[in-house]
């Protein structure tokens, strides 16, 4: 079956109310757009974890709490979750969103250190985009288990580069492949705890991070116009926010979804990948895989 695209109307997102959502990287870009959308819906509380505070008036709203956090620090994230939970008494949704673009060339550059040895790579992209994201997921599961049968909903920001890779951004692409892999690896066990896990995978999105690695010093708006004029499909931060809130609102139906987003259109590419296994694995490999998965070694884990 061919994967089909669909659109999301903001008027259809009004069902998500009376919930508490924690968002990493919620002070700008996609995170901020999601905060604004959630805040526009009745009785939703939002916890923002970021290095910098969000702009007014969100930083003065009684339904928004900003907690300064270094998400690459386990102690900092752990304390932030604890503080957010103490304020609102529960955490229903978590948007694992904070991340950065490729930081210089860590593969092909041959920069030497002061001893003339090949310099150790800078690991900040993997540390923030994958390791810190995994910490966020672990904390989310811990607090959502306190909700009992209601559980919770986790959405992670992957990227189109997490499916198709991106030339010139190997560590960014690897980290986003890791986010997709993490979702696939934990979705079934999480669902047994009534916790739903999914990803959004945007293509190029117009946010402050756009063009961060460009040497031309073009603003995100200037770069977006250049891309648009070249015919490259673009998303707005609002498009991605719509996808995130859509996944939250869908509840259990969102389990295992991977929403790719291009030009404001959406497609569940995870569903397409699952249905096309016979094509990309081959019939014999698929049957071998199925026979192995039916053995005792792969019985559902007991949490």
């Amino acid at each position: 079956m061919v994967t089909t695209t669909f659109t999301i109307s903001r008027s259809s997102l009004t069902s998500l109310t009376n919930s508490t959502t924690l968002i990493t990287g919620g002070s700008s870009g996609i995170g901020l757009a999601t905060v604004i959308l959630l805040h526009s819906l009745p009785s939703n509380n939002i916890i923002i974890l970021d290095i910098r505070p969000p702009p007014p008036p969100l930083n003065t709203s009684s339904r928004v709490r900003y907690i300064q956090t270094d998400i690459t620090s386990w102690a900092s994230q752990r304390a932030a979750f604890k503080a957010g939970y103490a304020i609102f008494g529960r955490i229903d949704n978590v948007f694992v969103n904070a991340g950065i673009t490729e930081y210089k060339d860590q593969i092909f550059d041959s920069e030497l250190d002061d001893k003339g040895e090949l310099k150790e790579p800078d690991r900040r992209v993997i540390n923030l985009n994958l390791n810190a994201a995994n910490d966020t997921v672990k904390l989310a599961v811990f607090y959502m288990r306190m909700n009992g049968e209601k559980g919770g909903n986790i959405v992670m920001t992957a990227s189109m580069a997490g499916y198709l890779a991106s030339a010139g951004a190997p560590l960014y692409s690897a980290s986003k492949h890791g986010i997709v892999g993490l979702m696939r690896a934990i979705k079934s066990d999480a669902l047994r705890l009534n916790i739903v896990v999914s990803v959004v995978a945007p293509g190029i999105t117009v946010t402050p991070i756009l063009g961060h690695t460009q040497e031309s010093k073009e603003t995100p708006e200037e770069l977006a116009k250049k891309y648009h004029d070249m015919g490259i499909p673009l998303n707005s931060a609002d498009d991605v926010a719509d996808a995130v809130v859509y996944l939250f609102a869908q509840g259990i139906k969102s389990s295992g979804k991977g929403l790719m987003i291009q030009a404001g259109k959406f497609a569940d590419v995870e569903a397409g990948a699952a249905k096309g296994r016979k094509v990309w694995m081959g019939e014999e490999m698929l049957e071998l895989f199925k026979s192995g998965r039916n053995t005792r070694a792969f019985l559902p884990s007991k949490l």
Side-chain angles (χ1 to χ4, degrees):
M1 182 181 292
V2 176
T3 301
T4 57
T5 61
F6 62 97
T7 58
I8 297 173
S9 168
R10 285 219 159 175
S11 62
S12 68
L13 301 176
T14 56
S15 63
L16 188 65
T17 60
N18 299 302
S19 68
T20 297
T21 301
L22 183 146
I23 300 177
T24 64
S27 292
S28 64
I30 291 168
L32 178 59
T34 307
V35 171
I36 292 170
L37 176 54
L38 286 168
H39 190 260
S40 71
L41 303 174
S43 305
N44 284 309
N45 302 314
I46 306 106
I47 305 163
I48 298 174
L49 274 53
D50 208 316
I51 291 291
R52 299 176 184 82
L58 290 171
N59 57 0
T60 59
S61 170
S62 62
R63 293 194 286 119
V64 177
R65 287 292 185 274
Y66 162 70
I67 303 171
Q68 187 176 44
T69 312
D70 174 6
I71 70 162
T72 62
S73 162
W74 169 253
S76 182
Q77 266 213 84
R78 183 179 58 191
F81 264 81
K82 184 176 181 179
Y85 185 84
I87 292 167
F88 293 116
R90 63 184 302 110
I91 296 174
D92 301 293
N93 310 301
V94 170
F95 182 23
V96 187
N97 169 67
I100 57 174
T101 57
E102 194 80 3
Y103 182 75
K104 298 183 178 180
D105 181 355
Q106 304 302 326
I107 304 294
F108 301 104
D109 181 58
S110 300
E111 184 178 357
L112 304 181
D113 63 18
D114 55 5
K115 296 180 180 180
E117 300 284 352
L118 187 62
K119 192 173 182 179
E120 182 179 359
D122 188 304
R123 296 181 173 85
R124 70 184 68 187
V125 174
I126 298 295
N127 288 341
L128 179 58
N129 290 2
L130 186 55
N131 295 341
N134 179 72
D135 289 350
T136 307
V137 170
K138 182 176 179 64
L139 286 159
V141 169
F142 177 79
Y143 281 96
M144 287 176 182
R145 292 181 85 161
M146 297 182 187
N147 297 335
E149 291 185 0
K150 185 175 181 182
N153 198 319
I154 300 170
V155 176
M156 297 185 281
T157 298
S159 168
M160 192 163 68
Y163 285 99
L164 302 174
S166 178
L171 296 188
Y172 176 81
S173 297
S175 69
K176 293 306 183 179
H177 273 74
I179 291 295
V180 173
L182 179 61
M183 180 274 291
R184 290 172 171 172
I186 68 173
K187 63 180 182 180
S188 296
D189 285 336
L191 199 56
R192 295 187 185 96
L193 300 171
N194 299 310
I195 297 172
V196 176
V197 186
S198 60
V199 301
V200 289
I204 298 175
T205 304
V206 183
T207 70
I209 204 172
L210 182 63
H212 178 72
T213 59
Q214 302 291 322
E215 296 180 357
S216 61
K217 306 299 182 182
E218 292 171 292
T219 67
E221 292 73 23
E222 291 170 339
L223 199 57
K225 184 179 185 306
K226 177 189 290 187
Y227 286 164
H228 178 269
D229 292 344
M230 293 169 62
I232 297 173
L234 300 173
N235 302 309
S236 70
D238 285 345
D239 293 329
V240 187
D242 289 347
V244 173
V245 175
Y246 169 85
L247 289 169
F248 285 152
Q250 290 283 301
I252 195 171
K253 294 179 181 178
S254 293
S255 179
K257 284 189 178 297
L259 292 191
M260 188 172 285
I261 310 164
Q262 290 197 90
K265 295 182 179 180
F266 310 86
D268 181 9
V269 293
E270 284 296 302
K275 292 172 183 175
R277 280 178 178 169
K278 187 178 291 187
V279 175
W280 59 267
M281 288 182 72
E283 189 168 352
E284 184 175 2
M285 283 295 175
L286 180 57
E287 290 307 313
L288 287 168
F289 168 76
K290 287 180 178 179
S291 64
R293 295 292 285 187
N294 290 329
T295 65
R296 182 174 297 179
F298 289 97
L299 289 176
S301 62
K302 296 179 179 179
L303 299 176

